[in-house]
Amino acid sequence: MGINGKPVNANREAHLYDAIRFSTEQYLKGEVGRKAIVIVALSGDARSTTKLQEALETLLANDVIAYVLQIYDPPHRHDGHDNCDVIHTYARDEHGEYVLKKLAEATGGRMLEVRGMDRIDDALEEISEELHRQYSLGYYPDNKNWDGQFRKIQISAAGEGYKVYARKGYYAQHAKENSGATP
């Protein structure tokens, strides 16, 4: 049994990439300022019509930082269920982890391993602290062709022991869409 005594639907599959694209376009596209999305990964993508690259492009085009909470340990209940109508395996999926980690890193975010559902609050607090301590950098690119193409950027720290989390690039907005803001 799942939530409120409803039976668990063993055939229900995750549409993770669709959810990333839809939520970004629906809720974050028009927002100004820093934007972040937290992806709680209890299972991998199974049935999305959106491809991983499309989900990533949507995040990058809308300047959204993605954080992934990878949940490994199930809740410690006597019946083994997690109050959800989707069955979760809580097992390591190295390919899925690799894909989600790369998605997060490409947007300037990162993947956090969460050892148990009861530790989600700690992970969210860590993300909140990180977002409050971020710096914003801006620059004027030499290439003034606002052609909508993806431009790679690389930022590195000039000292030992520092780690830079930054998106891997940006989309050069078309001239009519560019309101004078720099990437």
Side-chain angles (χ1 to χ4, degrees):
M1 286 291 169
I3 298 174
N4 300 326
K6 294 179 184 176
V8 172
N9 182 349
N11 297 320
R12 188 163 170 203
E13 297 166 324
H15 295 256
L16 180 62
Y17 306 147
D18 289 340
I20 291 168
R21 184 187 51 79
F22 176 80
S23 60
T24 301
E25 290 175 349
Q26 183 73 24
Y27 300 106
L28 299 175
K29 188 173 191 169
E31 293 295 319
V32 177
R34 186 179 351 202
K35 297 173 273 192
I37 187 169
V38 177
I39 301 164
V40 179
L42 296 170
S43 58
D45 186 88
R47 302 290 291 207
S48 285
T49 57
T50 302
K51 304 290 182 222
L52 171 65
Q53 187 62 30
E54 294 169 317
L56 176 58
E57 288 172 2
T58 301
L59 291 169
L60 290 170
N62 290 286
D63 196 18
V64 177
I65 301 169
Y67 287 91
V68 176
L69 302 183
Q70 183 65 51
I71 311 295
Y72 291 116
D73 296 329
H76 301 288
R77 289 181 36 170
H78 68 283
D79 62 3
H81 292 288
D82 60 6
N83 289 331
C84 187
D85 64 347
V86 178
I87 294 177
H88 301 115
T89 61
Y90 300 100
R92 289 197 84 101
D93 171 10
E94 291 187 20
H95 175 70
E97 289 174 27
Y98 174 81
V99 167
L100 289 172
K101 183 176 182 180
K102 290 299 175 190
L103 181 126
E105 289 175 352
T107 65
R110 61 190 179 102
M111 185 171 82
L112 289 82
E113 294 184 2
V114 179
R115 301 282 176 195
M117 295 291 285
D118 54 341
R119 300 194 192 261
I120 288 179
D121 287 344
D122 294 338
L124 292 172
E125 183 64 32
E126 186 175 335
I127 292 169
S128 176
E129 287 293 321
E130 188 170 303
L131 288 170
H132 282 92
R133 291 190 174 125
Q134 284 184 345
Y135 291 94
S136 294
L137 288 176
Y139 74 99
Y140 295 98
D142 291 334
N143 185 345
K144 304 291 186 204
N145 185 12
W146 300 102
D147 57 5
Q149 296 297 309
F150 186 76
R151 308 271 171 75
K152 292 182 180 181
I153 58 174
Q154 182 177 354
I155 301 170
S156 56
E160 294 281 329
Y162 293 103
K163 174 83 173 146
V164 175
Y165 293 98
R167 59 186 172 153
K168 303 299 183 203
Y170 66 95
Y171 284 92
Q173 298 172 347
H174 290 42
K176 65 181 180 181
E177 296 174 11
N178 185 10
S179 60
T182 58

